[in-house]
Amino acid sequence: MNKMQANLCLICVTLLWSTEVIIFACIPDTVVPFATTAITSLIGAALLFFCFFRRITSAVKKSGKKILLTGLLLSVLNCGYNVLYQYGLKEFDVSTGAFTISMTVVILPVILLMMRRQNVGKKTWISAIFVLVGIVVSYLGRIGSLNIPGLLVLIGGCIVRAVYIIKLNEVARQYDPVSISALIAAFVGVISFVIWFVLQPSTFAAIEWNSQIIASLCIHAYFIVMFAQTINIFAQRNATPAAATIIYSMEIIFSLIWGMTMPSTIVTPVTPDVFMVIGAAFIVLGNLWEIVDVKRKAVKRS
C-alpha cells in the first residue's frame, strides 16, 4: 500500500465513521453511550477473534506483554477522548460540535513538535491553517451561543485524540494491524462495560430491546468497530499522523451531507448557513492541499 492508497483508505474510513450519526440516531437516548460502546466493541472484538484467532494469538505470543500493554494504553486514550467528546457535545448542536472536533487537525502538529517525534512539513501546516479557518468561520453564525466550558472539554478531547493518533501511527508500524484492532476493541469494551456498570448496575436489563436497537448495534460493531478501525490501522502504516488527521476532518462534510439528505425520521435535519458552507469549503481545501501532490503533477506536465 503506497501513500495515495493509504489516503484513499483513510477517506473511506472517514466516510464510514460519518455514518455513526445515522446509526446512533436509531438508538434511543435511554441507552447510555457507554452501553453502546461496550456492546459494539465487545461484538467487534469477538468477530475479529473469531475470524483471525490464530493470527492474533501468534502476534501476542511473539510480542508478549508489550503488545497487550500497548493495546491497553491505546484503549485508555480511546475511551478518554470519547468520554470528553460525549460530555462536551451535550453543550452544542451537531454541526457546531462536529466542526469543533476537527480542531484535532490544528492541535496534532503542535503536539508532534512538542514530542519531537517527527518534522511537520510546510504543506501540513498550510492544510491545518485552512482547516482552522474553516472551523473559525463556522462559529461566526453562532458565536453568541458558544458554551466556553463545553468548548474547553471538546478541545481537551481533541488533545487526547491527537496523542492517540500519534501513538496509533507508531504502533501500526510495529505490530500486526488486525491484532492491534482486536485488542483495542476488547479493552475498550471491557473498560466501557465497567463504567456502564457503575452508572447503570442493571446493564443489559436496562435496555428495552427491539429489532432496531439490535440491528443498529450489530451494524456499528461490524462496519465501524471491526472494519473501519482495522482498515484505519492498515492505512496508518503508510500515512503520517498529521495527514491522517487532516483527512479525518472530512467527517464533518459527510455528516453535513447526511443531515441534509436523510429523512427527519432517521437523523435530525441540518440546514447549513453561509458560514457553515464557507467553513466546510475551507476544510475541503485543506484536505486537497494535503492529499494532492501539486509539485509531482507540475513535474509530469513539464
Side-chain angles (χ1 to χ4, degrees):
M1 183 184 293
N2 57 35
K3 184 178 178 181
M4 181 56 69
Q5 290 172 331
N7 288 339
L8 290 174
C9 283
L10 289 172
I11 292 173
C12 292
V13 167
T14 304
L15 176 59
L16 285 171
W17 280 342
S18 70
T19 61
E20 284 185 308
V21 66
I22 302 170
I23 298 172
F24 289 153
C26 297
I27 300 175
D29 293 336
T30 53
V31 181
V32 298
F34 286 109
T36 301
T37 303
I39 295 170
T40 56
S41 295
L42 291 173
I43 293 175
L47 290 171
L48 285 168
F49 273 95
F50 178 77
C51 296
F52 304 101
F53 182 76
R54 290 184 179 179
R55 180 170 180 167
I56 296 169
T57 53
S58 175
V60 172
K61 288 179 181 178
K62 181 180 178 181
S63 303
K65 293 181 180 179
K66 196 170 182 180
I67 191 173
L68 294 174
L69 292 174
T70 299
L72 179 60
L73 172 61
L74 288 170
S75 302
V76 171
L77 291 172
N78 185 296
C79 287
Y81 77 74
N82 275 304
V83 168
L84 291 171
Y85 280 175
Q86 287 176 47
Y87 283 99
L89 288 172
K90 290 181 180 179
E91 309 299 331
F92 296 94
D93 58 70
V94 174
S95 58
T96 305
F99 272 105
T100 305
I101 289 174
S102 299
M103 191 70 72
T104 306
V105 176
V106 184
I107 293 172
L108 189 138
V110 177
I111 293 180
L112 280 173
L113 286 179
M114 293 174 63
M115 297 174 69
R116 298 180 180 179
R117 294 298 176 94
Q118 58 182 256
N119 294 325
V120 181
K122 184 188 296 184
K123 186 177 182 180
T124 298
W125 282 112
I126 293 174
S127 296
I129 290 171
F130 278 129
V131 174
L132 177 60
V133 171
I135 296 169
V136 173
V137 170
S138 73
Y139 286 160
L140 296 180
R142 53 191 63 79
I143 195 166
S145 60
L146 285 180
N147 183 289
I148 301 302
L151 181 64
L152 293 176
V153 171
L154 283 182
I155 291 176
C158 291
I159 294 173
V160 177
R161 190 186 185 197
V163 176
Y164 171 80
I165 292 170
I166 294 170
K167 184 64 180 175
L168 183 65
N169 187 264
E170 295 175 355
V171 170
R173 302 167 193 270
Q174 297 173 358
Y175 302 110
D176 172 50
V178 173
S179 302
I180 286 296
S181 180
L183 290 174
I184 291 174
F187 283 127
V188 167
V190 171
I191 294 170
S192 300
F193 181 81
V194 171
I195 299 174
W196 178 25
F197 178 77
V198 172
L199 296 175
Q200 196 175 54
S202 54
T203 59
F204 293 98
I207 299 176
E208 297 180 4
W209 295 98
N210 57 48
S211 57
Q212 180 173 302
I213 292 177
I214 294 173
S216 299
L217 292 174
C218 290
I219 290 170
H220 188 276
Y222 179 79
F223 287 103
I224 307 298
V225 178
M226 179 185 175
F227 185 73
Q229 178 174 270
T230 305
I231 296 299
N232 175 52
I233 298 175
F234 270 106
Q236 287 273 3
R237 284 187 157 190
N238 297 278
T240 64
T245 310
I246 288 170
I247 294 173
Y248 294 157
S249 67
M250 282 290 289
E251 186 175 347
I252 176 58
I253 310 300
F254 295 131
S255 296
L256 286 176
I257 292 173
W258 303 138
M260 292 165 53
T261 58
M262 298 295 291
S264 58
T265 53
I266 298 177
V267 64
T268 303
V270 175
T271 305
D273 55 32
V274 64
F275 298 108
M276 290 171 60
V277 173
I278 296 174
F282 271 102
I283 290 176
V284 171
L285 184 58
N287 274 267
L288 291 175
W289 192 274
E290 175 65 34
I291 295 172
V292 179
D293 195 337
V294 179
K295 289 184 179 180
R296 183 178 294 180
K297 287 192 173 184
V299 171
K300 286 183 177 180
R301 287 178 181 175
S302 62

